[in-house]
Amino acid sequence: MIDFYFDFISPYGYFAAMKIDGLAKKFDRKVEWHPMLLGVSVMNVMGLKPLMETPLKKDYLIQDIPRLAALYNIPFSYPKHGMPKPLPPARAFCWVKEMLPERAGEFAKAVYRAQWQDGLDISQPQVLAKLVEEVGLNGEALKEALETETLRRSLSEKVDASINRGVFGSPTYMVDGNMIWGGDRMWMLEHWLSKGKWDSNHQKY
Amino acid sequence: MIDFYFDFISPYGYFAAMKIDGLAKKFDRKVEWHPMLLGVSVMNVMGLKPLMETPLKKDYLIQDIPRLAALYNIPFSYPKHGMPKPLPPARAFCWVKEMLPERAGEFAKAVYRAQWQDGLDISQPQVLAKLVEEVGLNGEALKEALETETLRRSLSEKVDASINRGVFGSPTYMVDGNMIWGGDRMWMLEHWLSKGKWDSNHQKY
């Protein structure tokens, strides 16, 4: 099992989301998808600014994100409407995971593609409703659920659990007791899945 | 040419320092070593806390640093005397680079090993004096230079130049107009050196 933590607002989470199932399958592992919120981990718990409001880091990300997309061979464009609100899609994910856990990962990938490929605003309930229908669920039922305290609490509990586990970044992989952070660290996850240990002279130079 | 930016207090900088010459040589490139200061970039310019004072990130680093050392097959131990002051070794590096530029990288690696392998306090002038003697320079002359405004200004100018170039983390590689940050990103530097482009389907899953 690989526990995969992600926030829909994270382009690095998107890159990893597009690749994680393929990587897991290569090593006969299943993926469990878990929502986390950068707004909670980075701002509330760590006391840091959002990356895109951090001098120097911001310029680096603007250079880094498109080239990582190219390296991973993943279509990518910045959303024209600006960044989505993270809560509605994360709550929709919780709802799908409760209703139809075996298709939760598929739904998460559809939401990511809607945001980072198709330029849709995934904080809009009607966009999310259409996406849940594609995995066979009722879009109107989702819209109602998005207004409920139950669903708010469901996400909130999952986010608390991610913080308790030490997750702060998107994406984060947990495998066999190892926590690995970063869309640029899939090489390290693959190394673990392949070797099951760290001391194995990974580099050839 | 690969421009290699590093801070001696950074274990990730140490890992990359142990590997960068070998990687560069594999692709017939030279390395130019440049000091930077995390205290200036992270704290003054970006307005962030030191990593080891950041909740969650700190626990991750404690888990991550030894396993990256193991992966890269590099001896590593935490200094018993705590973290060194970053200015004296960075100034000593500037002095060596001025006196004997062709051995500056060798000196930087010796300082890193003294800190992260041998547990010496590299902020002590006598430790630095001994290390400059190993590259054929005069230790007493270094101790005198460490007290001068000229050497203070030399480092300060180099650090300003690193910030102007957008460097915020240690290590950072600059190659053919690309900036790559991280001791965990040598795979990406190697990809560029090998292919000279990003869109080349790096991943096999």
Side-chain angles (χ1 to χ4, degrees):
Chain A
M1 168 77 78
I2 299 166
D3 288 304
F4 180 69
Y5 290 84
F6 63 95
D7 185 333
F8 287 116
I9 67 166
S10 157
Y12 293 99
Y14 160 59
F15 300 148
M18 295 298 106
K19 292 289 182 177
I20 189 70
D21 286 329
L23 178 55
K25 201 176 166 193
K26 195 170 155 183
F27 297 97
D28 268 323
R29 301 266 193 153
K30 295 254 173 261
V31 179
E32 172 136 13
W33 295 64
H34 302 273
M36 58 81 69
L37 292 174
L38 292 167
V40 174
S41 63
V42 173
M43 287 188 278
N44 303 0
V45 181
M46 300 165 90
L48 305 178
K49 287 175 281 200
L51 289 175
M52 282 309 198
E53 294 169 23
T54 305
L56 304 181
K57 184 74 80 76
K58 174 178 188 261
D59 302 317
Y60 180 67
L61 293 181
I62 289 169
Q63 177 182 162
D64 190 51
I65 290 167
R67 76 183 169 193
L68 208 58
L71 262 171
Y72 286 9
N73 203 22
I74 295 173
F76 176 82
S77 63
Y78 283 103
K80 292 169 224 73
H81 54 79
M83 289 297 274
K85 296 185 203 82
L87 294 177
R91 285 180 184 142
F93 172 80
C94 292
W95 186 77
V96 171
K97 195 173 172 182
E98 237 153 80
M99 304 289 279
L100 207 57
E102 68 278 16
R103 298 188 74 177
E106 183 189 341
F107 174 72
K109 286 188 276 190
V111 175
Y112 263 130
R113 277 191 294 260
Q115 156 76 4
W116 296 107
Q117 289 183 29
D118 307 333
L120 298 173
D121 181 355
I122 58 167
S123 41
Q124 296 302 320
Q126 60 270 31
V127 171
L128 293 166
K130 210 161 163 241
L131 293 167
V132 299
E133 282 169 6
E134 286 171 21
V135 294
L137 291 169
N138 185 320
E140 290 306 312
L142 171 74
K143 282 193 207 172
E144 280 169 34
L146 283 173
E147 299 299 316
T148 63
E149 184 55 29
T150 315
L151 189 53
R152 278 197 190 90
R153 209 162 36 229
S154 168
L155 174 61
S156 172
E157 283 166 5
K158 287 179 176 63
V159 171
D160 287 350
S162 75
I163 297 287
N164 288 337
R165 228 177 153 187
V167 171
F168 58 88
S170 168
T172 295
Y173 330 98
M174 292 275 196
V175 61
D176 307 334
N178 302 289
M179 173 171 154
I180 300 173
W181 161 53
D184 57 351
R185 286 267 193 142
M186 301 202 89
W187 66 270
M188 193 182 207
L189 175 58
E190 183 169 14
H191 181 96
W192 178 267
L193 292 171
S194 149
K195 310 278 184 187
K197 58 179 184 172
W198 298 120
D199 57 333
S200 41
N201 207 3
H202 172 67
Q203 283 177 321
K204 312 295 173 296
Y205 44 84
Chain B
M1 169 77 77
I2 300 166
D3 287 304
F4 179 70
Y5 290 83
F6 64 95
D7 185 334
F8 287 116
I9 67 166
S10 158
Y12 294 99
Y14 160 59
F15 299 149
M18 296 297 106
K19 293 289 181 177
I20 190 70
D21 285 329
L23 178 55
K25 201 175 165 195
K26 194 171 156 183
F27 296 98
D28 268 324
R29 300 266 193 153
K30 294 256 173 261
V31 180
E32 173 136 12
W33 295 64
H34 302 272
M36 58 83 67
L37 292 174
L38 292 166
V40 174
S41 63
V42 172
M43 287 188 276
N44 303 0
V45 180
M46 300 165 91
L48 306 178
K49 287 175 281 200
L51 290 175
M52 283 309 198
E53 294 169 23
T54 305
L56 304 181
K57 185 73 80 75
K58 175 179 188 258
D59 301 317
Y60 180 68
L61 293 181
I62 289 169
Q63 175 181 165
D64 191 51
I65 290 167
R67 75 182 170 194
L68 209 58
L71 262 171
Y72 285 9
N73 202 22
I74 294 172
F76 176 81
S77 62
Y78 283 103
K80 292 169 224 73
H81 54 78
M83 290 296 275
K85 295 186 204 81
L87 294 176
R91 285 180 185 141
F93 173 80
C94 292
W95 187 77
V96 171
K97 195 173 172 183
E98 237 154 79
M99 304 288 278
L100 207 57
E102 68 278 16
R103 299 188 73 177
E106 182 189 339
F107 174 72
K109 287 187 277 189
V111 175
Y112 263 129
R113 277 190 295 258
Q115 156 76 4
W116 295 108
Q117 289 183 29
D118 306 332
L120 299 174
D121 181 355
I122 57 167
S123 42
Q124 295 302 320
Q126 59 271 32
V127 171
L128 293 166
K130 210 160 163 243
L131 293 168
V132 299
E133 283 170 7
E134 286 171 20
V135 294
L137 291 169
N138 184 319
E140 289 306 312
L142 171 74
K143 283 194 207 171
E144 279 169 35
L146 284 172
E147 299 299 314
T148 63
E149 184 54 30
T150 316
L151 189 52
R152 279 197 189 89
R153 208 160 41 229
S154 168
L155 173 61
S156 171
E157 283 166 6
K158 287 179 175 64
V159 171
D160 287 351
S162 74
I163 297 289
N164 288 337
R165 229 178 152 184
V167 171
F168 58 88
S170 167
T172 295
Y173 329 98
M174 292 275 196
V175 60
D176 306 336
N178 302 289
M179 174 172 153
I180 301 172
W181 161 54
D184 57 352
R185 287 265 194 142
M186 300 202 90
W187 67 270
M188 194 181 207
L189 175 59
E190 184 170 13
H191 181 97
W192 179 267
L193 292 171
S194 149
K195 311 279 185 187
K197 58 179 184 173
W198 297 119
D199 57 334
S200 41
N201 207 4
H202 173 68
Q203 282 176 322
K204 311 295 174 296
Y205 43 86

